[in-house]
Amino acid sequence: MVDMDLEKYFDTVNQSKLIEVLSRTIKDGRVISLVHKYLRAGVVIRKRFEETEVGVPQGGPLSPILSNIMLNELDKELERRGHRFVRYADDMMIFCKSRRSAKRTLNNILPFIEKKLFLKVNREKTVVDYVGKVKFLGFRFTK
């Protein structure tokens, strides 16, 4: 099993890629423009305004939806490759029959995540292990 961690997901989402993904299904340019403005609106940190050129505002009303839209691209790719997996927001487990298969799966999916979706996998927190030894959202899988 692969327990994958996306590094600082909400802070590093590539806005151009997200807009591209949205544009494939939303044909109304006004909606795309509105989402783009939302992403670029900036944030106030310690009473100082900062522009947002990357990422999705955490805690914002659209953040969970935009996150799932972006990571749905990964879901579709994993399904296309015949993998079984579970994902909640940016937490994900990919189930494999052996450790060797899990390592191969991880190595094969990394280029898609990093080069196609422009996301970064945290290699220190991503592990290949027996499913019973890993927690997912605070739960363990047991027989």
Side-chain angles (χ1 to χ4, degrees):
M1 178 272 326
V2 177
D3 180 12
M4 187 175 299
D5 182 75
L6 296 175
E7 192 169 304
K8 298 179 181 175
Y9 174 74
F10 287 95
D11 296 333
T12 61
V13 170
N14 183 296
Q15 293 178 359
S16 296
K17 182 65 179 182
L18 179 56
I19 293 296
E20 173 196 319
V21 170
L22 285 170
S23 296
R24 283 190 223 138
T25 53
I26 299 171
K27 300 303 176 194
D28 188 338
R30 297 171 298 176
V31 173
I32 298 297
S33 177
L34 190 60
V35 170
H36 192 255
K37 288 175 183 174
Y38 170 78
L39 292 171
R40 299 296 303 237
V43 294
V44 176
I45 300 175
R46 293 185 203 105
K47 298 182 182 181
R48 215 178 102 226
F49 177 80
E50 292 185 21
E51 290 186 21
T52 49
E53 295 178 8
V54 295
V56 177
Q58 285 193 56
L62 290 181
S63 299
I65 296 167
L66 295 175
S67 167
N68 276 327
I69 289 170
M70 182 68 151
L71 290 175
N72 187 53
E73 296 295 299
L74 176 57
D75 295 349
K76 288 192 285 188
E77 182 65 16
L78 289 168
E79 287 171 357
R80 189 186 71 73
R81 295 179 186 203
H83 293 296
R84 294 178 184 206
F85 63 95
V86 60
R87 181 181 65 76
Y88 181 82
D90 60 334
D91 293 315
M92 177 185 333
M93 293 176 81
I94 306 170
F95 303 101
C96 303
K97 292 184 179 185
S98 68
R99 179 179 292 274
R100 187 171 152 201
S101 173
K103 286 181 180 179
R104 186 174 54 245
T105 297
L106 176 59
N107 289 332
N108 288 335
I109 201 66
L110 283 173
F112 178 83
I113 293 168
E114 295 183 341
K115 292 184 173 44
K116 300 267 191 206
L117 298 180
F118 307 111
L119 298 170
K120 187 164 171 50
V121 174
N122 185 333
R123 285 168 168 74
E124 291 176 14
K125 291 184 179 179
T126 297
V127 295
V128 170
D129 207 344
Y130 172 69
V131 72
K133 294 183 179 182
V134 177
K135 282 186 178 181
F136 182 73
L137 303 175
F139 297 95
R140 287 203 191 282
F141 291 87
T142 60
K143 288 185 178 182

